[in-house]
Amino acid sequence: TQLLEQSPQFLSIQEGENLTVYCNSSSVFSSLQWYRQEPGEGPVLLVTVVTGGEVKKLKRLTFQFGDARKDSSLHITAAQPGDTGLYLCAGASNTGKLIFGQGTTLQVKP
Amino acid sequence: KAGVTQTPRYLIKTRGQQVTLSCSPISGHRSVSWYQQTPGQGLQFLFEYFSETQRNKGNFPGRFSGRQFSNSRSEMNVSTLELGDSALYLCASSLGGGSGANVLTFGAGSRLTVL
């Protein structure tokens, strides 16, 4: 069974701080996606990484896929209250299903 | 274009009852996936339908079932509801080409409370 573990589960920081969220597995994934979910809404796709070692930037968010395609990280620079939400990583499994991590709840206080 | 629409948004049922949830995917999307989201378990995959056929199934009991219609709209049904079925049920649609990098577009979910 392919599993994705995210850490930390909860993060509460002040506006302007930097943070990193990790998504780890013992399995290889063909691709990995990051979503953000706000209260009362469904998850919204932020990025998809496909190649081992790939780095993608989305404004203040930097996503990296591990060289072995088993892990990924999300780094936010100078966090803002609008970044508050649940961040989910999801890997494309060898059966075609998308497997989600447990999520990281981020709270950015003004 | 219109997003993924789920109905109803909120519902309350009692143990033993059954419930049907509906999902209208983005126009042109042929794949619909269903997930159960709870605070303790996160997002758990229920099943995926593509062109009216179940293409993938998660590890849920037979009380959970689904179907897809010719217009790609999907429904999921939960029979003999249990307290533990209380959750946010999310539907997601995609083009469904079979690629592992399918992009999912989620609806806002149906919040089910079982009393």
Side-chain angles (χ1 to χ4, degrees):
Chain A
T1 303
Q2 294 176 289
L3 295 173
L4 279 167
E5 294 186 3
Q6 283 187 241
S7 62
Q9 286 190 349
F10 302 97
L11 200 50
S12 181
I13 61 173
Q14 292 294 137
E15 182 176 1
E17 292 184 7
N18 301 330
L19 68 117
T20 302
V21 177
Y22 300 93
C23 178
N24 296 302
S25 175
S26 58
S27 306
V28 174
F29 289 92
S30 58
S31 66
L32 202 136
Q33 300 174 354
W34 284 91
Y35 291 80
R36 185 173 78 194
Q37 184 178 18
E38 299 185 21
E41 301 295 329
V44 175
L45 179 69
L46 295 173
V47 77
T48 301
V49 285
V50 180
T51 306
E54 183 176 2
V55 176
K56 281 192 173 179
K57 292 192 174 185
L58 186 65
K59 296 182 181 178
R60 295 175 292 101
L61 278 60
T62 302
F63 304 85
Q64 185 163 7
F65 201 11
D67 291 339
R69 290 185 289 132
K70 292 182 179 181
D71 54 85
S72 181
S73 64
L74 157 61
H75 182 80
I76 301 179
T77 304
Q80 298 178 2
D83 296 327
T84 293
L86 176 67
Y87 288 82
L88 296 154
C89 65
S93 74
N94 50 20
T95 60
K97 294 186 295 190
L98 205 58
I99 296 171
F100 281 82
Q102 293 284 71
T104 296
T105 299
L106 171 64
Q107 180 188 45
V108 182
K109 293 178 280 190
Chain B
K1 56 183 176 181
V4 178
T5 304
Q6 290 190 245
T7 56
R9 287 293 309 275
Y10 304 92
L11 66 167
I12 300 174
K13 293 285 187 179
T14 56
R15 279 180 298 175
Q17 287 187 311
Q18 74 164 13
V19 67
T20 300
L21 309 178
S22 179
C23 173
S24 293
I26 289 175
S27 178
H29 283 193
R30 296 168 63 189
S31 169
V32 173
S33 299
W34 289 90
Y35 290 83
Q36 181 195 66
Q37 186 176 31
T38 59
Q41 299 295 319
L43 264 95
Q44 301 287 309
F45 174 77
L46 281 155
F47 27 66
E48 180 206 2
Y49 286 87
F50 179 79
S51 292
E52 301 179 65
T53 301
Q54 189 179 84
R55 185 160 71 173
N56 258 313
K57 189 177 188 304
N59 298 322
F60 278 80
R63 299 185 297 107
F64 292 81
S65 63
R67 59 178 176 169
Q68 186 179 34
F69 302 95
S70 57
N71 61 358
S72 293
R73 191 177 71 85
S74 177
E75 288 181 347
M76 69 162 282
N77 184 276
V78 187
S79 62
T80 319
L81 284 166
E82 301 176 359
L83 295 178
D85 296 333
S86 294
L88 180 67
Y89 290 87
L90 291 162
C91 161
S93 75
S94 69
L95 291 170
S99 160
N102 260 332
V103 173
L104 297 183
T105 302
F106 283 87
S110 292
R111 169 81 58 188
L112 171 65
T113 301
V114 182
L115 302 176

